[in-house]
Amino acid sequence: MKVLVVGGAGYIGSHTTYELIRAGHEVIVLDNLSTGSTENVHPQARFVWGDIRRKSDIVHVLNAEAQAGAPVEVAMHFAAKLIVPESVEQPLAYYENNVEGLRTMLEALVECGVKNIVFSSTAAVYGEPITPECDEGDATEPINPYGETKLACEKMIAWVGAAHDLNYCILRYFNVAGADASLKIGLDKDQLTHLIPLIMQAALGIREKLFIFGDDYDTPDGTCIRDYVHVTDLAQAHVLGAEYILNNKTSLLANLGSGSGFSVREVVDAARKLFEVPFEYAPRRPGDPAKLIARIERADKILKWKPQHNLQSILKSDYEFRKRRIG
Ligand code: UDP
């Protein structure tokens, strides 16, 4: 299949491009390089600079492919802002980039007759979970502008899908980390709120130590439990999702996680088996639920997708990628 990966120069978009190419698909990456880099674009993918908020940038690519006789069959959307505290400070920027950006992209897809979209969503749409294991059918009540914009996008896609015969695959990510086995791509922009990048910074001496936020949660060791999934597993789910909606002319919404939870302390201890991690306990961080784990039966049943990596391999690949980058 021919795929347009919008935001393919960033972390998850670049890993998905690698997996699409490994599976034998043709990829065009469109990115404005605001956070991504051309170094992340697979050499066999075609790169086009463009901004998701400018319809003509997308239409131009789609029309050129159609006129050449091999139209784009699936579009993937990764071009979003995703830092929760930033979204709280700058909600309008999040609505503009995430919601308006998707609206523009959908307009271009409808205009050019592209009938399939794969969309990156997030566990943040669940908000404060009522049950610790999130099911796709659970209530969605985001507690920050980031989650709110992603939920608005999910709803927009469903309405546009119904009106214009557009199939969609919406994937809700849990805690994504790790790097491609080639170590050519990984998370090269540090999101300084996330646990695994901060563990790596402490391990590599970029920061003095890691702070574990809270040891008095209602969990076995008192620290928060999360579901960590390797970026390559996640990327492979996008390939399966795109193939599924294209071949079956249908739509799907699914969680992507590992289906199991690790406490912050367990993640730190797993990392300490691989390298030194100076750390200290600190007070709770506001807004952190005690436990957040994905139910992944739907992705397993429909896409035949099962994560192949574990916490150890997530940490190892992430560490090796970063060491190589700074070394
Ligand atoms: N966390 C921590 N120290 C840090 C960063 C994160 O103890 O420096 C904890 C955080 O409180 C949460 C877990 O690690 O319980 C995962 O946080 P992250 O920001 O990576 O992802 P979230 O689940 O909040 O999206």
Side-chain angles (χ1 to χ4, degrees):
M1 61 190 173
K2 187 182 272 187
V3 186
L4 176 69
V5 179
V6 178
Y11 176 52
I12 298 172
S14 65
H15 284 79
T16 301
T17 300
Y18 268 58
E19 292 311 314
L20 283 164
I21 286 172
R22 284 173 183 147
H25 300 301
E26 198 180 330
V27 182
I28 304 164
V29 167
L30 185 132
D31 201 298
N32 71 357
L33 303 179
S34 59
T35 55
S37 149
T38 49
E39 277 175 39
N40 296 334
V41 178
H42 192 289
Q44 285 170 37
R46 194 141 39 94
F47 175 73
V48 178
W49 189 94
D51 197 305
I52 188 172
R53 292 162 299 180
R54 216 166 30 222
K55 191 172 80 175
S56 56
D57 287 3
I58 306 169
V59 167
H60 183 75
V61 179
L62 296 176
N63 281 344
E65 296 307 308
Q67 277 155 18
V72 167
E73 295 162 285
V74 181
M76 294 193 176
H77 177 290
F78 295 98
K81 285 178 166 284
L82 57 115
I83 314 280
V84 170
E86 185 184 66
S87 79
V88 175
E89 282 163 22
Q90 306 168 26
L92 290 172
Y94 273 67
Y95 275 87
E96 196 221 355
N97 195 96
N98 295 2
V99 182
E100 179 54 21
L102 174 71
R103 195 197 66 77
T104 308
M105 177 168 161
L106 287 172
E107 217 170 62
L109 300 185
V110 170
E111 195 173 307
C112 299
V114 177
K115 293 289 181 198
N116 300 283
I117 181 167
V118 178
F119 180 73
S120 308
S121 192
T122 167
V125 298
Y126 294 114
E128 289 285 354
I130 308 156
T131 53
E133 296 196 348
C134 298
D135 185 84
E136 291 89 349
D138 286 354
T140 45
E141 290 177 26
I143 53 167
N144 53 58
Y146 167 59
E148 202 71 76
T149 59
K150 284 291 183 176
L151 185 59
C153 288
E154 287 192 1
K155 290 182 177 173
M156 190 188 335
I157 290 173
W159 286 115
V160 174
H164 297 285
D165 194 21
L166 176 82
N167 307 311
Y168 57 84
C169 174
I170 293 171
L171 300 170
R172 291 179 176 164
Y173 310 160
F174 282 67
N175 296 57
V176 189
D180 186 71
S182 68
L183 301 183
K184 289 194 175 123
I185 50 170
L187 184 59
D188 57 1
K189 292 274 186 313
D190 278 318
Q191 284 155 23
L192 294 178
T193 57
H194 287 156
L195 178 64
I196 291 182
L198 288 163
I199 287 179
M200 298 306 156
Q201 288 206 334
L204 294 165
I206 298 165
R207 64 179 53 224
E208 196 192 333
K209 63 179 90 145
L210 172 85
F211 291 103
I212 295 182
F213 298 138
D215 62 354
D216 55 353
Y217 286 94
D218 184 17
T219 59
D221 65 18
T223 68
C224 289
I225 293 175
R226 292 290 180 277
D227 180 325
Y228 297 89
V229 58
H230 194 289
V231 66
T232 298
D233 283 326
L234 193 89
Q236 284 168 355
H238 288 71
V239 180
L240 295 172
E243 291 169 347
Y244 175 76
I245 61 166
L246 177 68
N247 296 335
N248 297 289
K249 298 189 173 33
T250 189
S251 294
L252 169 71
L253 182 155
N255 285 338
L256 294 181
S258 68
S260 44
F262 290 94
S263 73
V264 175
R265 183 58 207 248
E266 283 172 328
V267 178
V268 171
D269 287 344
R272 287 166 74 223
K273 288 200 178 111
L274 301 167
F275 37 79
E276 284 284 311
V277 185
F279 73 96
E280 189 177 302
Y281 284 100
R284 288 184 178 200
R285 185 173 73 174
D288 278 338
K291 196 170 172 191
L292 210 47
I293 302 174
R295 297 201 54 164
I296 56 168
E297 288 85 352
R298 191 182 285 184
D300 179 7
K301 189 164 158 242
I302 298 179
L303 301 179
K304 314 274 177 284
W305 174 80
K306 269 201 175 64
Q308 303 300 310
H309 287 268
N310 57 25
L311 184 60
Q312 212 71 3
S313 63
I314 291 173
L315 292 165
K316 198 160 178 286
S317 68
D318 206 304
Y319 180 74
E320 281 169 1
F321 170 76
R322 281 158 197 276
K323 216 169 69 180
R324 192 165 144 156
R325 270 290 154 108
I326 64 168

